[in-house]
Amino acid sequence: KRKKGLRKLANNGVLIKDLIVPTDITVIEPYAFCGCDSLISVTIPDNVNVIGHSSFESCNNLKTIDISSNVSSIGRDAFKYCYGISDVYCRPMNCPALYYDEYYGDWGLHFYSNCSIYVPNLSIGLYRTADGWSKYVDRLVAYDFENGEIVPDTTATPANNEIWYTNGSTTEPTA
């Protein structure tokens, strides 16, 4: 039988929609928030370095994930069945390691919707070629986290040498 986390997360009876993981947590345990339908956004702070397998699986209303720069590993199916995710802010300069499932031949990172995955502009080339991350190449967006803005993606240059911007699903020449 599959483990389940909390269906609803509350503080003094008030549903928590925007979760900021507490600063005394370094590992988000497997299934910790699995099936927690009240979550809309999750912020994973710098103290966390591991996101356990299935930790946010089936969080049906989850839309935004902000992964801190210190996360070094994301477990299998951590965001599986989170169909509503629209924005993932992945801050690590080095791509977090992903679990490879030999049986299914899959890297276990599941972003079903056509979400945008914002990664450090200086590391977008690494993400494009990294195991597991490369399958989302059309969704990767070069992002300057310090200034909070999308930056020109100079690693995807067309034949006519115009600089292109990536918007998460298509690449278009600048005007």
Side-chain angles (χ1 to χ4, degrees), residues 47-83:
N47 47 290
V48 174
N49 53 39
V50 174
I51 300 172
H53 71 83
S54 302
S55 53
F56 295 97
E57 180 179 333
S58 300
C59 290
N60 296 321
N61 295 309
L62 188 57
K63 305 239 180 288
T64 305
I65 305 164
D66 192 340
I67 300 171
S68 80
S69 58
N70 290 333
V71 170
S72 61
S73 172
I74 299 176
R76 170 181 45 86
D77 301 337
F79 303 103
K80 189 173 187 177
Y81 305 128
C82 296
Y83 296 108

PDB file of all heavy atoms in Angstrom, residues 47-83:
ATOM      1  N   ASN A  47      18.600  25.978   3.544  1.00  0.00           N
ATOM      2  CA  ASN A  47      18.997  24.932   4.477  1.00  0.00           C
ATOM      3  C   ASN A  47      18.687  23.531   3.946  1.00  0.00           C
ATOM      4  O   ASN A  47      19.273  22.554   4.383  1.00  0.00           O
ATOM      5  CB  ASN A  47      18.326  25.129   5.840  1.00  0.00           C
ATOM      6  CG  ASN A  47      16.844  25.399   5.711  1.00  0.00           C
ATOM      7  OD1 ASN A  47      16.469  26.472   5.246  1.00  0.00           O
ATOM      8  ND2 ASN A  47      16.010  24.445   6.066  1.00  0.00           N
ATOM      9  N   VAL A  48      17.786  23.408   2.979  1.00  0.00           N
ATOM     10  CA  VAL A  48      17.408  22.104   2.432  1.00  0.00           C
ATOM     11  C   VAL A  48      18.376  21.718   1.321  1.00  0.00           C
ATOM     12  O   VAL A  48      18.647  22.512   0.428  1.00  0.00           O
ATOM     13  CB  VAL A  48      15.954  22.127   1.887  1.00  0.00           C
ATOM     14  CG1 VAL A  48      15.607  20.813   1.196  1.00  0.00           C
ATOM     15  CG2 VAL A  48      14.973  22.424   3.007  1.00  0.00           C
ATOM     16  N   ASN A  49      18.899  20.481   1.409  1.00  0.00           N
ATOM     17  CA  ASN A  49      19.775  20.014   0.330  1.00  0.00           C
ATOM     18  C   ASN A  49      19.250  18.778  -0.392  1.00  0.00           C
ATOM     19  O   ASN A  49      19.770  18.424  -1.430  1.00  0.00           O
ATOM     20  CB  ASN A  49      21.217  19.801   0.826  1.00  0.00           C
ATOM     21  CG  ASN A  49      21.287  18.904   2.030  1.00  0.00           C
ATOM     22  OD1 ASN A  49      20.565  17.931   2.129  1.00  0.00           O
ATOM     23  ND2 ASN A  49      22.146  19.245   2.969  1.00  0.00           N
ATOM     24  N   VAL A  50      18.213  18.150   0.142  1.00  0.00           N
ATOM     25  CA  VAL A  50      17.641  16.959  -0.502  1.00  0.00           C
ATOM     26  C   VAL A  50      16.119  17.056  -0.492  1.00  0.00           C
ATOM     27  O   VAL A  50      15.516  17.329   0.546  1.00  0.00           O
ATOM     28  CB  VAL A  50      18.083  15.660   0.218  1.00  0.00           C
ATOM     29  CG1 VAL A  50      17.378  14.443  -0.356  1.00  0.00           C
ATOM     30  CG2 VAL A  50      19.594  15.483   0.163  1.00  0.00           C
ATOM     31  N   ILE A  51      15.529  16.819  -1.657  1.00  0.00           N
ATOM     32  CA  ILE A  51      14.070  16.687  -1.778  1.00  0.00           C
ATOM     33  C   ILE A  51      13.809  15.200  -1.980  1.00  0.00           C
ATOM     34  O   ILE A  51      14.214  14.627  -2.982  1.00  0.00           O
ATOM     35  CB  ILE A  51      13.524  17.513  -2.960  1.00  0.00           C
ATOM     36  CG1 ILE A  51      13.841  19.002  -2.768  1.00  0.00           C
ATOM     37  CG2 ILE A  51      12.014  17.294  -3.108  1.00  0.00           C
ATOM     38  CD1 ILE A  51      13.508  19.857  -3.981  1.00  0.00           C
ATOM     39  N   GLY A  52      13.182  14.565  -1.017  1.00  0.00           N
ATOM     40  CA  GLY A  52      12.970  13.124  -1.044  1.00  0.00           C
ATOM     41  C   GLY A  52      11.979  12.673  -2.104  1.00  0.00           C
ATOM     42  O   GLY A  52      11.184  13.461  -2.619  1.00  0.00           O
ATOM     43  N   HIS A  53      12.032  11.369  -2.402  1.00  0.00           N
ATOM     44  CA  HIS A  53      11.146  10.827  -3.439  1.00  0.00           C
ATOM     45  C   HIS A  53       9.679  10.975  -3.032  1.00  0.00           C
ATOM     46  O   HIS A  53       9.323  10.877  -1.862  1.00  0.00           O
ATOM     47  CB  HIS A  53      11.504   9.381  -3.801  1.00  0.00           C
ATOM     48  CG  HIS A  53      11.168   8.371  -2.749  1.00  0.00           C
ATOM     49  ND1 HIS A  53       9.920   7.836  -2.623  1.00  0.00           N
ATOM     50  CD2 HIS A  53      11.927   7.796  -1.801  1.00  0.00           C
ATOM     51  CE1 HIS A  53       9.916   6.968  -1.626  1.00  0.00           C
ATOM     52  NE2 HIS A  53      11.117   6.930  -1.108  1.00  0.00           N
ATOM     53  N   SER A  54       8.877  11.310  -4.015  1.00  0.00           N
ATOM     54  CA  SER A  54       7.423  11.460  -3.865  1.00  0.00           C
ATOM     55  C   SER A  54       7.025  12.490  -2.806  1.00  0.00           C
ATOM     56  O   SER A  54       5.899  12.479  -2.325  1.00  0.00           O
ATOM     57  CB  SER A  54       6.769  10.111  -3.550  1.00  0.00           C
ATOM     58  OG  SER A  54       7.043   9.177  -4.573  1.00  0.00           O
ATOM     59  N   SER A  55       7.930  13.386  -2.450  1.00  0.00           N
ATOM     60  CA  SER A  55       7.656  14.318  -1.352  1.00  0.00           C
ATOM     61  C   SER A  55       6.502  15.282  -1.637  1.00  0.00           C
ATOM     62  O   SER A  55       5.801  15.688  -0.718  1.00  0.00           O
ATOM     63  CB  SER A  55       8.920  15.085  -0.960  1.00  0.00           C
ATOM     64  OG  SER A  55       9.491  15.688  -2.072  1.00  0.00           O
ATOM     65  N   PHE A  56       6.286  15.641  -2.889  1.00  0.00           N
ATOM     66  CA  PHE A  56       5.168  16.524  -3.257  1.00  0.00           C
ATOM     67  C   PHE A  56       4.257  15.853  -4.290  1.00  0.00           C
ATOM     68  O   PHE A  56       3.453  16.522  -4.926  1.00  0.00           O
ATOM     69  CB  PHE A  56       5.688  17.861  -3.796  1.00  0.00           C
ATOM     70  CG  PHE A  56       6.418  18.666  -2.758  1.00  0.00           C
ATOM     71  CD1 PHE A  56       7.797  18.625  -2.672  1.00  0.00           C
ATOM     72  CD2 PHE A  56       5.712  19.449  -1.856  1.00  0.00           C
ATOM     73  CE1 PHE A  56       8.475  19.350  -1.709  1.00  0.00           C
ATOM     74  CE2 PHE A  56       6.381  20.179  -0.882  1.00  0.00           C
ATOM     75  CZ  PHE A  56       7.772  20.126  -0.812  1.00  0.00           C
ATOM     76  N   GLU A  57       4.378  14.566  -4.436  1.00  0.00           N
ATOM     77  CA  GLU A  57       3.569  13.824  -5.416  1.00  0.00           C
ATOM     78  C   GLU A  57       2.084  14.078  -5.176  1.00  0.00           C
ATOM     79  O   GLU A  57       1.619  14.141  -4.036  1.00  0.00           O
ATOM     80  CB  GLU A  57       3.871  12.328  -5.297  1.00  0.00           C
ATOM     81  CG  GLU A  57       3.088  11.473  -6.255  1.00  0.00           C
ATOM     82  CD  GLU A  57       3.432   9.995  -6.132  1.00  0.00           C
ATOM     83  OE1 GLU A  57       4.554   9.660  -5.734  1.00  0.00           O
ATOM     84  OE2 GLU A  57       2.552   9.178  -6.447  1.00  0.00           O
ATOM     85  N   SER A  58       1.343  14.235  -6.262  1.00  0.00           N
ATOM     86  CA  SER A  58      -0.115  14.386  -6.234  1.00  0.00           C
ATOM     87  C   SER A  58      -0.603  15.616  -5.469  1.00  0.00           C
ATOM     88  O   SER A  58      -1.709  15.611  -4.928  1.00  0.00           O
ATOM     89  CB  SER A  58      -0.782  13.122  -5.671  1.00  0.00           C
ATOM     90  OG  SER A  58      -0.475  12.009  -6.475  1.00  0.00           O
ATOM     91  N   CYS A  59       0.199  16.665  -5.428  1.00  0.00           N
ATOM     92  CA  CYS A  59      -0.273  17.949  -4.875  1.00  0.00           C
ATOM     93  C   CYS A  59      -0.994  18.645  -6.027  1.00  0.00           C
ATOM     94  O   CYS A  59      -0.394  19.383  -6.813  1.00  0.00           O
ATOM     95  CB  CYS A  59       0.901  18.781  -4.349  1.00  0.00           C
ATOM     96  SG  CYS A  59       1.651  18.092  -2.868  1.00  0.00           S
ATOM     97  N   ASN A  60      -2.271  18.361  -6.136  1.00  0.00           N
ATOM     98  CA  ASN A  60      -3.054  18.720  -7.317  1.00  0.00           C
ATOM     99  C   ASN A  60      -3.175  20.208  -7.607  1.00  0.00           C
ATOM    100  O   ASN A  60      -3.416  20.598  -8.741  1.00  0.00           O
ATOM    101  CB  ASN A  60      -4.456  18.114  -7.209  1.00  0.00           C
ATOM    102  CG  ASN A  60      -4.393  16.606  -7.203  1.00  0.00           C
ATOM    103  OD1 ASN A  60      -3.610  16.009  -7.925  1.00  0.00           O
ATOM    104  ND2 ASN A  60      -5.208  15.982  -6.382  1.00  0.00           N
ATOM    105  N   ASN A  61      -3.025  21.053  -6.602  1.00  0.00           N
ATOM    106  CA  ASN A  61      -3.181  22.494  -6.805  1.00  0.00           C
ATOM    107  C   ASN A  61      -1.861  23.252  -6.826  1.00  0.00           C
ATOM    108  O   ASN A  61      -1.853  24.476  -6.920  1.00  0.00           O
ATOM    109  CB  ASN A  61      -4.106  23.065  -5.730  1.00  0.00           C
ATOM    110  CG  ASN A  61      -5.504  22.505  -5.881  1.00  0.00           C
ATOM    111  OD1 ASN A  61      -6.077  22.537  -6.958  1.00  0.00           O
ATOM    112  ND2 ASN A  61      -6.044  21.961  -4.801  1.00  0.00           N
ATOM    113  N   LEU A  62      -0.757  22.526  -6.749  1.00  0.00           N
ATOM    114  CA  LEU A  62       0.557  23.157  -6.727  1.00  0.00           C
ATOM    115  C   LEU A  62       0.839  23.832  -8.064  1.00  0.00           C
ATOM    116  O   LEU A  62       0.718  23.220  -9.120  1.00  0.00           O
ATOM    117  CB  LEU A  62       1.629  22.106  -6.416  1.00  0.00           C
ATOM    118  CG  LEU A  62       3.043  22.613  -6.164  1.00  0.00           C
ATOM    119  CD1 LEU A  62       3.076  23.607  -5.022  1.00  0.00           C
ATOM    120  CD2 LEU A  62       3.960  21.427  -5.863  1.00  0.00           C
ATOM    121  N   LYS A  63       1.200  25.115  -8.014  1.00  0.00           N
ATOM    122  CA  LYS A  63       1.442  25.899  -9.224  1.00  0.00           C
ATOM    123  C   LYS A  63       2.893  26.379  -9.338  1.00  0.00           C
ATOM    124  O   LYS A  63       3.442  26.434 -10.420  1.00  0.00           O
ATOM    125  CB  LYS A  63       0.529  27.126  -9.261  1.00  0.00           C
ATOM    126  CG  LYS A  63      -0.939  26.802  -9.122  1.00  0.00           C
ATOM    127  CD  LYS A  63      -1.727  27.281 -10.302  1.00  0.00           C
ATOM    128  CE  LYS A  63      -3.189  26.949 -10.167  1.00  0.00           C
ATOM    129  NZ  LYS A  63      -3.534  25.585 -10.317  1.00  0.00           N
ATOM    130  N   THR A  64       3.506  26.745  -8.207  1.00  0.00           N
ATOM    131  CA  THR A  64       4.837  27.337  -8.224  1.00  0.00           C
ATOM    132  C   THR A  64       5.753  26.634  -7.235  1.00  0.00           C
ATOM    133  O   THR A  64       5.360  26.388  -6.088  1.00  0.00           O
ATOM    134  CB  THR A  64       4.760  28.834  -7.857  1.00  0.00           C
ATOM    135  OG1 THR A  64       3.836  29.482  -8.733  1.00  0.00           O
ATOM    136  CG2 THR A  64       6.113  29.503  -7.982  1.00  0.00           C
ATOM    137  N   ILE A  65       6.978  26.343  -7.701  1.00  0.00           N
ATOM    138  CA  ILE A  65       7.995  25.731  -6.850  1.00  0.00           C
ATOM    139  C   ILE A  65       9.243  26.596  -6.941  1.00  0.00           C
ATOM    140  O   ILE A  65       9.683  26.939  -8.039  1.00  0.00           O
ATOM    141  CB  ILE A  65       8.349  24.308  -7.329  1.00  0.00           C
ATOM    142  CG1 ILE A  65       7.107  23.438  -7.427  1.00  0.00           C
ATOM    143  CG2 ILE A  65       9.389  23.670  -6.414  1.00  0.00           C
ATOM    144  CD1 ILE A  65       7.310  22.175  -8.241  1.00  0.00           C
ATOM    145  N   ASP A  66       9.806  26.930  -5.800  1.00  0.00           N
ATOM    146  CA  ASP A  66      11.057  27.697  -5.745  1.00  0.00           C
ATOM    147  C   ASP A  66      12.083  26.839  -5.010  1.00  0.00           C
ATOM    148  O   ASP A  66      11.975  26.634  -3.802  1.00  0.00           O
ATOM    149  CB  ASP A  66      10.827  29.025  -5.030  1.00  0.00           C
ATOM    150  CG  ASP A  66      11.991  29.989  -5.194  1.00  0.00           C
ATOM    151  OD1 ASP A  66      13.117  29.548  -5.522  1.00  0.00           O
ATOM    152  OD2 ASP A  66      11.777  31.191  -4.982  1.00  0.00           O
ATOM    153  N   ILE A  67      13.058  26.329  -5.754  1.00  0.00           N
ATOM    154  CA  ILE A  67      14.068  25.414  -5.223  1.00  0.00           C
ATOM    155  C   ILE A  67      15.351  26.199  -4.961  1.00  0.00           C
ATOM    156  O   ILE A  67      15.906  26.803  -5.877  1.00  0.00           O
ATOM    157  CB  ILE A  67      14.325  24.265  -6.213  1.00  0.00           C
ATOM    158  CG1 ILE A  67      13.025  23.478  -6.466  1.00  0.00           C
ATOM    159  CG2 ILE A  67      15.434  23.347  -5.697  1.00  0.00           C
ATOM    160  CD1 ILE A  67      13.110  22.471  -7.587  1.00  0.00           C
ATOM    161  N   SER A  68      15.833  26.168  -3.717  1.00  0.00           N
ATOM    162  CA  SER A  68      17.003  26.957  -3.333  1.00  0.00           C
ATOM    163  C   SER A  68      18.280  26.473  -4.008  1.00  0.00           C
ATOM    164  O   SER A  68      18.364  25.353  -4.526  1.00  0.00           O
ATOM    165  CB  SER A  68      17.190  26.925  -1.822  1.00  0.00           C
ATOM    166  OG  SER A  68      17.817  25.710  -1.436  1.00  0.00           O
ATOM    167  N   SER A  69      19.278  27.305  -3.925  1.00  0.00           N
ATOM    168  CA  SER A  69      20.559  27.029  -4.579  1.00  0.00           C
ATOM    169  C   SER A  69      21.328  25.892  -3.925  1.00  0.00           C
ATOM    170  O   SER A  69      22.264  25.366  -4.522  1.00  0.00           O
ATOM    171  CB  SER A  69      21.424  28.289  -4.593  1.00  0.00           C
ATOM    172  OG  SER A  69      21.626  28.747  -3.281  1.00  0.00           O
ATOM    173  N   ASN A  70      20.962  25.472  -2.730  1.00  0.00           N
ATOM    174  CA  ASN A  70      21.692  24.402  -2.045  1.00  0.00           C
ATOM    175  C   ASN A  70      21.131  23.005  -2.271  1.00  0.00           C
ATOM    176  O   ASN A  70      21.695  22.038  -1.776  1.00  0.00           O
ATOM    177  CB  ASN A  70      21.754  24.691  -0.542  1.00  0.00           C
ATOM    178  CG  ASN A  70      22.663  25.864  -0.248  1.00  0.00           C
ATOM    179  OD1 ASN A  70      23.588  26.154  -1.002  1.00  0.00           O
ATOM    180  ND2 ASN A  70      22.387  26.563   0.838  1.00  0.00           N
ATOM    181  N   VAL A  71      20.021  22.885  -2.975  1.00  0.00           N
ATOM    182  CA  VAL A  71      19.464  21.555  -3.238  1.00  0.00           C
ATOM    183  C   VAL A  71      20.391  20.825  -4.202  1.00  0.00           C
ATOM    184  O   VAL A  71      20.685  21.309  -5.291  1.00  0.00           O
ATOM    185  CB  VAL A  71      18.026  21.640  -3.799  1.00  0.00           C
ATOM    186  CG1 VAL A  71      17.541  20.280  -4.289  1.00  0.00           C
ATOM    187  CG2 VAL A  71      17.082  22.185  -2.735  1.00  0.00           C
ATOM    188  N   SER A  72      20.854  19.663  -3.771  1.00  0.00           N
ATOM    189  CA  SER A  72      21.795  18.893  -4.594  1.00  0.00           C
ATOM    190  C   SER A  72      21.179  17.622  -5.157  1.00  0.00           C
ATOM    191  O   SER A  72      21.755  16.998  -6.041  1.00  0.00           O
ATOM    192  CB  SER A  72      23.038  18.530  -3.767  1.00  0.00           C
ATOM    193  OG  SER A  72      22.664  17.740  -2.653  1.00  0.00           O
ATOM    194  N   SER A  73      19.981  17.260  -4.672  1.00  0.00           N
ATOM    195  CA  SER A  73      19.367  16.010  -5.105  1.00  0.00           C
ATOM    196  C   SER A  73      17.839  16.121  -5.043  1.00  0.00           C
ATOM    197  O   SER A  73      17.291  16.626  -4.060  1.00  0.00           O
ATOM    198  CB  SER A  73      19.847  14.876  -4.193  1.00  0.00           C
ATOM    199  OG  SER A  73      19.158  13.687  -4.445  1.00  0.00           O
ATOM    200  N   ILE A  74      17.188  15.647  -6.102  1.00  0.00           N
ATOM    201  CA  ILE A  74      15.721  15.585  -6.143  1.00  0.00           C
ATOM    202  C   ILE A  74      15.341  14.127  -6.372  1.00  0.00           C
ATOM    203  O   ILE A  74      15.733  13.524  -7.367  1.00  0.00           O
ATOM    204  CB  ILE A  74      15.141  16.483  -7.257  1.00  0.00           C
ATOM    205  CG1 ILE A  74      15.521  17.947  -7.011  1.00  0.00           C
ATOM    206  CG2 ILE A  74      13.616  16.325  -7.330  1.00  0.00           C
ATOM    207  CD1 ILE A  74      15.088  18.898  -8.107  1.00  0.00           C
ATOM    208  N   GLY A  75      14.597  13.577  -5.435  1.00  0.00           N
ATOM    209  CA  GLY A  75      14.236  12.162  -5.482  1.00  0.00           C
ATOM    210  C   GLY A  75      13.221  11.823  -6.559  1.00  0.00           C
ATOM    211  O   GLY A  75      12.511  12.689  -7.084  1.00  0.00           O
ATOM    212  N   ARG A  76      13.155  10.547  -6.840  1.00  0.00           N
ATOM    213  CA  ARG A  76      12.230  10.004  -7.834  1.00  0.00           C
ATOM    214  C   ARG A  76      10.800  10.439  -7.523  1.00  0.00           C
ATOM    215  O   ARG A  76      10.351  10.395  -6.385  1.00  0.00           O
ATOM    216  CB  ARG A  76      12.336   8.471  -7.819  1.00  0.00           C
ATOM    217  CG  ARG A  76      11.311   7.733  -8.601  1.00  0.00           C
ATOM    218  CD  ARG A  76      11.491   6.222  -8.497  1.00  0.00           C
ATOM    219  NE  ARG A  76      11.734   5.728  -7.152  1.00  0.00           N
ATOM    220  CZ  ARG A  76      10.796   5.418  -6.279  1.00  0.00           C
ATOM    221  NH1 ARG A  76       9.525   5.563  -6.578  1.00  0.00           N
ATOM    222  NH2 ARG A  76      11.114   4.980  -5.072  1.00  0.00           N
ATOM    223  N   ASP A  77      10.122  10.879  -8.553  1.00  0.00           N
ATOM    224  CA  ASP A  77       8.696  11.221  -8.483  1.00  0.00           C
ATOM    225  C   ASP A  77       8.376  12.324  -7.469  1.00  0.00           C
ATOM    226  O   ASP A  77       7.245  12.418  -6.989  1.00  0.00           O
ATOM    227  CB  ASP A  77       7.850   9.983  -8.174  1.00  0.00           C
ATOM    228  CG  ASP A  77       8.011   8.876  -9.207  1.00  0.00           C
ATOM    229  OD1 ASP A  77       8.401   9.176 -10.350  1.00  0.00           O
ATOM    230  OD2 ASP A  77       7.767   7.704  -8.860  1.00  0.00           O
ATOM    231  N   ALA A  78       9.332  13.185  -7.150  1.00  0.00           N
ATOM    232  CA  ALA A  78       9.115  14.238  -6.152  1.00  0.00           C
ATOM    233  C   ALA A  78       7.913  15.116  -6.505  1.00  0.00           C
ATOM    234  O   ALA A  78       7.187  15.560  -5.620  1.00  0.00           O
ATOM    235  CB  ALA A  78      10.364  15.091  -5.999  1.00  0.00           C
ATOM    236  N   PHE A  79       7.691  15.348  -7.800  1.00  0.00           N
ATOM    237  CA  PHE A  79       6.576  16.220  -8.233  1.00  0.00           C
ATOM    238  C   PHE A  79       5.639  15.490  -9.197  1.00  0.00           C
ATOM    239  O   PHE A  79       4.910  16.127  -9.947  1.00  0.00           O
ATOM    240  CB  PHE A  79       7.136  17.489  -8.879  1.00  0.00           C
ATOM    241  CG  PHE A  79       8.049  18.254  -7.970  1.00  0.00           C
ATOM    242  CD1 PHE A  79       9.422  18.195  -8.123  1.00  0.00           C
ATOM    243  CD2 PHE A  79       7.525  19.015  -6.939  1.00  0.00           C
ATOM    244  CE1 PHE A  79      10.269  18.890  -7.275  1.00  0.00           C
ATOM    245  CE2 PHE A  79       8.364  19.711  -6.075  1.00  0.00           C
ATOM    246  CZ  PHE A  79       9.741  19.644  -6.247  1.00  0.00           C
ATOM    247  N   LYS A  80       5.627  14.179  -9.122  1.00  0.00           N
ATOM    248  CA  LYS A  80       4.775  13.376 -10.009  1.00  0.00           C
ATOM    249  C   LYS A  80       3.298  13.677  -9.735  1.00  0.00           C
ATOM    250  O   LYS A  80       2.887  13.869  -8.593  1.00  0.00           O
ATOM    251  CB  LYS A  80       5.057  11.891  -9.778  1.00  0.00           C
ATOM    252  CG  LYS A  80       4.393  10.987 -10.773  1.00  0.00           C
ATOM    253  CD  LYS A  80       4.864   9.555 -10.590  1.00  0.00           C
ATOM    254  CE  LYS A  80       4.332   8.667 -11.685  1.00  0.00           C
ATOM    255  NZ  LYS A  80       4.842   7.294 -11.549  1.00  0.00           N
ATOM    256  N   TYR A  81       2.531  13.721 -10.793  1.00  0.00           N
ATOM    257  CA  TYR A  81       1.088  13.973 -10.758  1.00  0.00           C
ATOM    258  C   TYR A  81       0.725  15.383 -10.274  1.00  0.00           C
ATOM    259  O   TYR A  81      -0.401  15.615  -9.854  1.00  0.00           O
ATOM    260  CB  TYR A  81       0.326  12.929  -9.938  1.00  0.00           C
ATOM    261  CG  TYR A  81       0.567  11.512 -10.375  1.00  0.00           C
ATOM    262  CD1 TYR A  81       0.955  10.544  -9.463  1.00  0.00           C
ATOM    263  CD2 TYR A  81       0.437  11.139 -11.710  1.00  0.00           C
ATOM    264  CE1 TYR A  81       1.186   9.234  -9.859  1.00  0.00           C
ATOM    265  CE2 TYR A  81       0.673   9.842 -12.121  1.00  0.00           C
ATOM    266  CZ  TYR A  81       1.048   8.889 -11.191  1.00  0.00           C
ATOM    267  OH  TYR A  81       1.284   7.610 -11.580  1.00  0.00           O
ATOM    268  N   CYS A  82       1.653  16.299 -10.346  1.00  0.00           N
ATOM    269  CA  CYS A  82       1.368  17.709 -10.038  1.00  0.00           C
ATOM    270  C   CYS A  82       1.113  18.400 -11.376  1.00  0.00           C
ATOM    271  O   CYS A  82       1.975  19.086 -11.914  1.00  0.00           O
ATOM    272  CB  CYS A  82       2.543  18.352  -9.303  1.00  0.00           C
ATOM    273  SG  CYS A  82       2.893  17.637  -7.696  1.00  0.00           S
ATOM    274  N   TYR A  83      -0.063  18.177 -11.916  1.00  0.00           N
ATOM    275  CA  TYR A  83      -0.382  18.620 -13.277  1.00  0.00           C
ATOM    276  C   TYR A  83      -0.516  20.133 -13.430  1.00  0.00           C
ATOM    277  O   TYR A  83      -0.439  20.640 -14.528  1.00  0.00           O
ATOM    278  CB  TYR A  83      -1.674  17.951 -13.755  1.00  0.00           C
ATOM    279  CG  TYR A  83      -1.558  16.456 -13.883  1.00  0.00           C
ATOM    280  CD1 TYR A  83      -2.199  15.616 -12.977  1.00  0.00           C
ATOM    281  CD2 TYR A  83      -0.797  15.890 -14.900  1.00  0.00           C
ATOM    282  CE1 TYR A  83      -2.088  14.240 -13.094  1.00  0.00           C
ATOM    283  CE2 TYR A  83      -0.682  14.511 -15.016  1.00  0.00           C
ATOM    284  CZ  TYR A  83      -1.327  13.697 -14.114  1.00  0.00           C
ATOM    285  OH  TYR A  83      -1.220  12.342 -14.225  1.00  0.00           O
TER     286      TYR A  83
END
